[in-house]
Amino acid sequence: MNGKLYLVPTPIGNLDDMTFRAVKVLKEVDIILAEDTRNSSPMLKHFGIDKKLFSHHQHNEHKAVNEIIRFLKEGQSIALISDAGTPAISDPGYLLTREAIKNNLEVECLPGATAFVPALVNSGLPNDRFIFEGFLPVKKGRQTRLKELALEERTMIFYESPHRLLKSLEEFITFFGADREVSVSRELTKMYEETKRGSLAEVKNYFETHTIKGEFVICLAGKISGKAVKEKFRDQED
């Protein structure tokens, strides 16, 4: 009988966000695959989880996938966790999930923490329709992608590192305009959680003189369509 692959979200900062179901699954599986065992070990110890732990990250996932598939076919149950949040969302997980499905193996993803959802809901920007971009290309293809997104009407969500935040906001001003609405969240669920909202120019000015630390989620308003412009002006006239 084949084993089962579980994709298990872990807290993005606050350990109280771990679900009872996630703890139960991690205690029951045979093997846990972690993006960085040094980061995951303290979290697992906190919840009393003592299982075989192996590294599974972007640098070894192509080499490791065949062996993991073999373990699953031998009947072992395996859980994949990332350093924080839901596996495969800007983290390793897609390749293994795809191969497991190709081999007719059962895959189950548990619901749980992911950084962009609270950032989007908390942004005050339209969230009925949105596009998740994750991390933009660092070099090749970055300018092309920004030009394409300049026409996007849905709210756009980006992940960004602290050392690239100001550069990205400056690029957004160039491609989207200084007045475009934006919400920037950092250190979500942690002690120094912060969200700054306003125009791109205002938010960039703010972070030029304030702490730039932690992981950032940027929620950027989409381009207002012709129809939306007419409705906005009609509402103002009313």
Side-chain angles (χ1 to χ4, degrees):
M1 186 175 178
N2 291 332
K4 185 174 181 179
L5 174 64
Y6 294 91
L7 307 176
V8 182
T10 53
I12 60 176
N14 191 325
L15 290 179
D16 288 344
D17 293 333
M18 189 73 163
T19 68
F20 292 112
R21 185 179 170 201
V23 172
K24 181 175 183 291
V25 167
L26 292 175
K27 285 184 175 181
E28 292 177 348
V29 295
D30 299 302
I31 297 172
I32 297 176
L33 305 175
E35 185 178 1
D36 190 329
T37 56
R38 295 168 300 181
N39 292 333
S40 297
S41 293
M43 183 271 295
L44 296 173
K45 184 178 180 179
H46 176 82
F47 292 107
I49 300 167
D50 183 17
K51 292 289 178 178
K52 294 179 183 177
L53 191 62
F54 297 98
S55 295
H56 185 76
H57 46 73
Q58 62 178 341
H59 302 297
N60 74 352
E61 59 178 337
H62 285 83
K63 294 181 180 179
V65 66
N66 290 331
E67 185 175 17
I68 296 169
I69 296 299
R70 178 172 63 82
F71 287 156
L72 288 167
K73 288 183 176 180
E74 290 174 352
Q76 298 194 63
S77 57
I78 298 176
L80 173 64
I81 61 176
S82 63
D83 284 348
T86 300
I89 302 298
S90 292
D91 279 321
Y94 163 70
L95 178 63
L96 178 57
T97 300
R98 182 186 67 183
E99 291 304 309
I101 293 171
K102 282 184 178 180
N103 283 271
N104 296 315
L105 295 166
E106 191 173 359
V107 179
E108 182 175 346
C109 181
L110 277 62
T114 189
F116 79 81
V117 173
L120 173 63
V121 175
N122 192 38
S123 71
L125 297 173
N127 54 32
D128 54 333
R129 297 172 64 243
F130 60 89
I131 178 171
F132 176 71
E133 287 291 314
F135 289 98
L136 285 168
V138 175
K139 294 181 179 179
K140 187 177 181 181
R142 186 179 180 91
Q143 302 295 310
T144 300
R145 187 62 188 140
L146 287 170
K147 288 178 182 177
E148 294 171 347
L149 290 172
L151 301 175
E152 178 59 60
E153 296 180 358
R154 295 168 291 183
T155 298
M156 295 165 275
I157 306 170
F158 306 90
Y159 283 167
E160 193 51 276
S161 60
H163 69 277
R164 293 191 63 87
L165 177 68
L166 289 177
K167 182 177 179 180
S168 290
L169 292 175
E170 182 62 42
E171 289 178 321
F172 289 173
I173 289 173
T174 299
F175 286 92
F176 304 111
D179 294 331
R180 184 73 69 92
E181 287 185 89
V182 68
S183 174
V184 177
S185 298
R186 72 177 187 94
E187 297 286 79
L188 287 166
T189 79
K190 301 177 184 177
M191 182 180 295
Y192 297 107
E193 177 177 338
E194 178 183 26
T195 294
K196 181 62 180 177
R197 308 174 186 86
S199 69
L200 278 168
E202 291 169 339
V203 173
K204 178 177 179 292
N205 289 337
Y206 174 82
F207 281 108
E208 285 177 335
T209 57
H210 288 75
T211 301
I212 300 181
K213 186 178 180 180
E215 297 301 319
F216 286 79
V217 184
I218 304 171
C219 296
L220 183 66
K223 179 181 179 182
I224 299 179
S225 66
K227 180 180 178 181
V229 170
K230 291 180 181 178
E231 291 176 348
K232 182 177 180 181
F233 286 150
R234 186 173 63 245
D235 291 341
Q236 290 175 346
E237 292 173 354
D238 293 342

